Every structure is written in C-alpha cells, then in structure tokens.
Amino acid sequence: MKVLFSFLTVIVLVLVAAVGSVLNLKFAFGIIIPYLAFVMFVGGFVCRVIKWGRSPVPYRIPTTCGQQKTLPWIKQDKIENPTSALGVIARMAMEILFFRSLFRNLKTEVSEGPNGPKISYGSAKWLWIGSLVFHWSFLIIVIRHLRFFLEPVPGFVRIADALDGMLQIGLPPIYLTDLFFLLAVTFLLVRRFVIPQVRYISLPADFFPLFMIMSIAISGILMRYFYKVDIIAVKELAIGLAQLHPVLPAGIGDIFYVHIFLISVLFAYFPLSKLMHMGGIFLSPTRNMMNNSRIVRHINPWNHAVEVHTYAQYEDEFREKMKKAGIPVEKE
Amino acid sequence: MAKPEKVKLPKPGELSNIDFKTPATDWMDTPVNFKPGTYAWGAKEKDLLTLGLPNPRQWSPADEDWKLPEGWKTTILDGIAERLSKYRSFKIFMDICVRCGACADKCHFYIGSGDPKNMPVLRAELLRSVYKKYFTKSGKFLGRLAGGRELTEDVLKEWWYYFFQCTECRRCSVFCPYGIDQAEVTIIGRELLNLVGLNIDWIAGPAAACYMKGNHLGLEPHAITGNIETMCDDIEDLTGIRIEPSFNRKGADILFITPSGDLLGDPGIFTNMGYLMLFHELGLNYTWSTYASEGGNFGFFTSNDMAKRLNYKIYAEAKRLGVKWIIGGECGHMWRVLNQYMDTWNGPADFLEVPRSPITGTVFENARSTKMVHITEFTADLIKHNKLKLDPSRNNHLKVTYHDSCNTSRGMGLLEEPRYIIKAACNNFYEMPENTIREKTFCCGSGSGLNASENMEQRMRGGFARANAVKYVKEKHGVNVLANICAVDRAALPALMDYWVGGVDVYGTHELLANALVMTGEKERTTDLRGDDLPGKEGNE
Ligand code: SF4
Ligand code: SF4
C-alpha cells in the first residue's frame, strides 16, 4: 500500500509533465514551475532552519563516544569526545563527509550455541557504503549540472565533469556517477523491501523520495544516452533561468520537461520532508557540542526557579533524631 | 483497582526464544499488549502528592480506566508545543529521522524481546506520529499517509508502556547518522506523561523519598549514620582499624556524595566500605551529608524540573557546610546528570574552589566549573602518583571483567579511569568483546528507574545482551566478577547474572581497590571484604 501509493504518485507526476509538454504548456513547465520550486526550496529550507534555530539548546548533551578529558596522562579522544571547537569541527566533518556513525554499524544476531543462546555482532557496512556512494554521486551530479547554468564553466565543474566522464565508452562519455547513483538508489530502495524490520518502519514518506530520485535519474539518463535532447537549447534555457532572463528555446525533447518537472517537485518537497536531514545534521546537539560542561558553565536561557526542599525544612523534621545520632544541627 | 498480578518469571530457555518476525499488521494497527511481567506498577497517589505532581489518584496500569484528568489531550498537546519551543534536540529529532534502521538492533530491549516497537526508531515514531499529525502541515493534510495519527487514550497508554521500556541508555544514538538520541525523546515523552499523572511507582516513590529525606531509599539521618557505623565495625573486624567518619561537619575540605544504594544492602555496602577505607588511609578531611545523601537522581526520569529540584541539595549543602569541593561516588545516572546538567541547573558553584587533590596536588581542570570530581578520577590520580600501597594478589581469587555503565560512557566518557584502578588492584582482568564495551556498552536493562520487581521479565530481556557478553568471558577466561561504577548496576546485575550466567558476582570498583589496599597499621587480613578467604590464607579463619 505504502509503496504503491508512493510509486503511483511518481507515475502521475511523470504523466503530468509528459501531458503538459505535449499540450505545449512548456512555458509553465520550463520556466514558471522551476522558479516556483526554487523559491519554495530556498524559502522552505531557510524557514525550517530558522525554526529549529529558534529553539534553544538548554543543556549540553553530546553523545560521548570516547574517553573524556581528564587527568593529563589519560589520552582524551579529542574527536569523539571533544572539548574544543576544533574537535567538534573534526567530529562534524567526519560525520558529514564520511558518515562516521553509520560506519560503526553492526549486525546483531542471536543464535543457538552449545551453552544456550549466543549473540554475535558482525560488521555491517552495506548501508554505509550505499549511502556514501549515493550522497557523493548526488553531489557530483549536482556540481556537474552547474555547467548548464554557468558561462564560462568554472574550473572545478570542468574537473568534476572530466573525472566523472573518464570511462570513455562511445559518445557521449558515460558518467561514472550516473551508474553509481542508480545502483545506490536501487540498493537503498531494495533494502527497504527486503529487510523486514526496515520495511516495517518505512512510511510512504520514505519510498516517495526514493522513487522520485530514481525517476529523475532515469529520465536524465534516457535524455542523455537514448532520446538525445538538444543540449545547446537546454543550456540556453538554463542560463536564461539563472540570469533571470528566461527564454524558451524550441525543440527540446519532451523528456526534458519530465526531468525538470520531477526535479522541481523534489525541490519543492524537500523542506517539508525528512530530506531536511541535510540541514538538520549540522544542528544535531548530540554531535555538534563539546563535552566541557564540567569545565565551563552552559547557560539555559529559560532556566527557571523550582520549588526545593531546603536544609532548614529537613532539619526541622529530623532535628531530634539527628541530635540523638550525634549529628550536628543548626538550631538547638 | 485491579492490582497488577505478580507473575512468575519464565525460564531463561523460554525468554531467549526470541521471535524477530515483524507482525502482519502495520505498527499503527497493532495494539499494545500489556503483558504482566513487562511493565512496572503505576505511581502512587501519595508520592505524586508529595512531589506536587498532577492528577494524584489511585490507579493501576492493569485497569481499563486510567482516570486521566479532564482535558488531558489539550494538556499533552500543549506540553508538546512547549517542549518544541524549549528543546532544539526535540524538534530536530522529530524532523530528520530517515528511518534507515541503523539504530534498530542496537537497543538491548529489542535484542531481548524482538518487539518491533522496541526499535529506537519506532519508539520515537510513537511520539513522532502525534507530532506529525498536530504540528506539521503534511500530517495535518495527509494524516496517516504522512505518518501522522490521532492522539487517543490508547496511544497514550502505548507511550507509557514503551517509554518506561527504554532505559535512556543512548546506545542507539551512537549508531545514528544524525545522533538522534532516543533517550532524549524518552525523557520528553516521560515529561509529557507526567503532565497527566502517569509515572511508575518505582520512580515516583524514590523521587518523593529523595525530595523529603535526602536520598531515594528514604533513609533518615540516624539510619545513615547507623549503617555507616556498622560498616566501620566490619572494617574493624577485618583490618583492626577503627574508622570514625564525620557527618554534616562544617569546616571539612571535601563533601562526599554517593548514591544511597551504597548505604544499604549487598553489594553496594562493600563499595561504600571501600570509600571509607580509602579516605581513612589518606587521612582526607571530608564529611558525609545526611541531607544531600543521594547522588542518583530519580527526578531525571520524571521531568527536567524534578531533576533540578533533587539536584539542588548538592550545592546547597556544599555551601552550608563551607567545603572547598566535592567528590562523587560510583554511580551512572548521577554522573550523566552531574556532567551534563548540574552546573546549568544549580550553578554557578562559585563559592567552591577548583578541585585540587590534597594528596597529590593534582588540579582537576576538567571539573573547573562544577567543582565535583568522580572518585575514580581521584583514585586513579593517587595510584599514578604512587600514593597507595596495593597488594593486587589479594584479589587473585577474582577474575574480573568491567561493565561500562551507559551514562558514564555515553554521557561523559569515563572509560579509562576505572580500568586503571581495576588493573592496579587485580591481577586478572579480561575485557568483554569490543562491540559490547566502552561507548558501545550494553545496558544492565534496569536503568532509568526500571529496577522494580514486577517487571522482572522485561528487565531480564533488556539485560540479555549484557549478560551474554559476560557469559562469553566467563566461558573463555573463567571470569567470576563483574565490576562496575554504578549503584543501579550493583542492584540490578546480580539478578541478571544469576538468571542468565550464574557464578558471577557483582563488585563496585572501590571494593576491589579496598581489598588490595594495604592500610597503615592494619592486622594481617585473612578474608576479603565479603568474608571470603584470601588466596593462600585459607583455613586461617
Ligand atoms: S539510525 Fe537515526 S535516522 Fe536511522 S532510523 Fe534510527 S533514528 Fe532514524
Ligand atoms: S536509549 Fe537505549 S533503551 Fe532507549 S531506545 Fe535507545 S538503545 Fe533502547
């Protein structure tokens, strides 16, 4: 049900774009919707981050994954249990660039041993590899796409493009990331189907983005390798969009409109969804804080007074018993 | 009111038969099954009254009607809104989970029960679904398709059942790519439940006792001094040395605070004897307090405010007595609270001095602001500076492994100090498998106030992973001692070891130290603190 719903939604979106293109609503699909999507993406993203940022972090609650700072002769784990800004930056960089925590992933198995049940913890790096390939390919593909929007094409984009197209089979060159990306997204989707626990926790909101991304990739690949669209015209459109002088060159194939429409929808959907983990990872208090709350005081902006049971009240209740037990008291 | 029946604990063979198959129905359509033996009793009216908590009444989780107050739904929803505005962690953790499942099999309750709602991600989803329905646009419009659901009485009961089946151990957070910490969500979930008077007896009772009497066991001042006197008698029998500790003494340099679990009952008292012997040997100018006689904080399992109310006593007493700084004993949650919260709640402790060991001169820079030092930091420093005379061969009959408590490891990072002490005090030390120690340590299954007796089945399930790792080193190296630095561990692990492993005793780290400690002027010892013959001294008794 959940899967079907997400799948059908994507199919409907593809059809909408195809029909739109055929009906010659190209101005809407090529210009208005992309602009709208861009505004929704940037606006939504910023709003979301501001909304998060408006809530304080009242307590310093890093998850410590290594030795604390303590006596000088005990080696502190400065990255996994940081007490300096540099340590935090290193920790976050490891997390954001290399998915450090996922790398730790284990597979827990309970089996019957000779002396009763046994739990073993195997290495489980598939999810880590899959996500790493997915995200890095995604990034490189986005960078590659900049060549459509920028003239002259900046050096780093050219380099990315050249490296990516290293595999020179036929023309145009096959991008390695296209392959990796499709493989990775398929892997992420398949694991949601086949691992019972993961299927059990999955929601439509988990399948939908995967189907979307997959169809974007497929439409892009079709467009590049099979139903070749007029690249010059695409670039004209893209540069026009980027320079806020949109022009609509004639003769771009319909499939292009499907591609750009799906991307637009994904962008617009982004800030409303779990895809915001992209922004959230930077703000996660368990990872981006120093473990120095015994060294410097952390202030809670809404710290309020609470009712307490004072020593005086305590002594009033127990004074006689305390005296009898020889415990000093304030009032005789 | 139906009293929840006390059920017989099934045999280990039955419990270890865990079914990891997911149910046929979606989790939203799978009703919560209040299985006796898996949940704790409800909070008592009198304790809620003592603590000034809402909706005091006689009730039981086994009842159909939980006597929720008028307008409970608004109370909860307003409570969620308030907490969203107060805690960025809560907002972020509600929004960015991608349900990748990396946390799923990291929770000891899931490993031991196979219940999918014990997967951290799904435990969070119990609350997240309500958040989505009422606080996000997609949930408001798309409802269930966006993962949202109505807040009903059944949902509330489900929260209660599963939020009191999370020990706030944070193991899931270590593996989550965004550091999503189910402990944080559980803390907030429990706060919400407390808004309508839903807590468990084993938390509300100790919290009330702690509030009124200073410690969660409810020991009155003369009982505390009495218990410690008795320990001093035992120490005298053992060593020939008479220790005369002081209580509530103004002018002492150091205030010592330990969880009250160390003051009563076996094996906590042996750890306490260890502190007494160590401090005596050092000639430390310190005092105990009967008012601030608890390091553990059961308020932390109730609400942030309650935790702050209980924690207040530590600084208040340090100020009243005019000490220079504070040493804290072996405890788990106590140290998470002291490390991450105390200074923020009840600081600044500017009336105290930066801790400096009077024996070695070491300044504890890492406690510059809170002015509170963990006893293993203090003791490790003594050993490093050769200030203690130790005879580790006295522990030769013990083969020791060490259990990192969740809170000192994942909420603090206290990993090496206790190991350093144990290795100095014992000749036989063996680590459990790597994936079950340090930051990946497994919970005892009874933390965060779940150490009751009526939920024994769930505790044994929760501790299954921990026990299994101990069993491994027992079979491999003949380990017979599980050392730790947590009072809940000392209370919970013996039952766990008896149930799953057998033949493994639970020791505090300072008990092991005291066994090995050669005290000035002591008579020849023939037994260890527990009265067991020392190696080579058999038959001297
Ligand atoms: S590991 Fe983190 S992101 Fe993945 S399911 Fe668990 S809480 Fe969600
Ligand atoms: S905090 Fe611990 S008990 Fe709670 S869900 Fe996470 S792993 Fe399980």
Side-chain angles (χ1 to χ4, degrees), chain A residues 51 59 115 287 293 304 309, chain B residues 173 291 304 308 339 471:
Chain A
K51 208 168 147 194
Y59 306 113
N115 305 315
R287 290 286 187 272
S293 35
H304 51 243
H309 192 67
Chain B
S173 166
Y291 168 63
N304 163 65
K308 185 175 162 186
N339 184 44
K471 193 168 167 193

Side-chain angles (χ1 to χ4, degrees), chain B residues 103 106-110 118-121 123 165-173 181-184 186 410 443:
Chain B
C103 57
K106 308 306 178 288
C107 177
H108 50 280
F109 281 116
Y110 178 66
N118 276 326
M119 295 192 263
V121 42
R123 204 192 303 280
Q165 258 179 45
C166 162
T167 45
E168 304 179 359
C169 80
R170 311 183 102 196
R171 191 169 193 266
C172 44
S173 166
D181 181 6
Q182 176 55 32
E184 196 68 10
T186 295
R410 287 185 285 262
C443 185

Side-chain angles (χ1 to χ4, degrees), chain A residues 8-26:
Chain A
L8 288 179
T9 311
V10 176
I11 297 289
V12 168
L13 290 171
V14 171
L15 289 177
V16 166
V19 170
S21 172
V22 171
L23 288 181
N24 229 344
L25 297 171
K26 290 185 177 154

Side-chain angles (χ1 to χ4, degrees), chain A residues 181-254:
Chain A
F181 187 59
L182 212 53
L183 275 176
V185 71
T186 311
F187 165 75
L188 292 179
L189 192 64
V190 168
R191 80 178 274 283
R192 279 209 187 271
F193 293 135
V194 299
I195 305 177
Q197 281 79 10
V198 180
R199 188 173 55 211
Y200 199 64
I201 59 178
S202 294
L203 295 172
D206 300 309
F207 291 108
F208 176 68
L210 283 172
F211 282 126
M212 279 300 282
I213 288 167
M214 203 171 210
S215 52
I216 289 171
I218 292 173
S219 62
I221 287 171
L222 286 178
M223 201 163 93
R224 180 172 166 86
Y225 304 104
F226 300 96
Y227 308 100
K228 295 193 178 144
V229 294
D230 182 348
I231 291 279
I232 309 290
V234 169
K235 175 139 191 175
E236 218 177 304
L237 174 69
I239 287 208
L241 286 173
Q243 296 178 341
L244 300 180
H245 287 296
V247 282
L248 199 66
I252 311 180
D254 292 335

Side-chain angles (χ1 to χ4, degrees), chain B residues 251-291:
Chain B
D253 285 344
I254 295 168
L255 171 64
F256 179 64
I257 291 180
T258 199
S260 60
D262 289 345
L263 300 175
L264 186 79
D266 181 340
I269 50 164
F270 299 121
T271 310
N272 208 58
M273 285 161 68
Y275 308 142
L276 286 162
M277 290 160 70
L278 172 69
F279 295 157
H280 176 85
E281 179 60 19
L282 298 172
L284 202 67
N285 181 10
Y286 83 106
T287 189
W288 298 77
S289 165
T290 60
Y291 168 63

Side-chain angles (χ1 to χ4, degrees), chain A residues 201, chain B residues 96-104 121 128 172 175-178 180:
Chain A
I201 59 178
Chain B
I96 65 169
C97 172
V98 295
R99 284 168 295 278
C100 66
C103 57
V121 42
R128 189 177 286 124
C172 44
F175 297 89
C176 172
Y178 319 114
I180 294 177

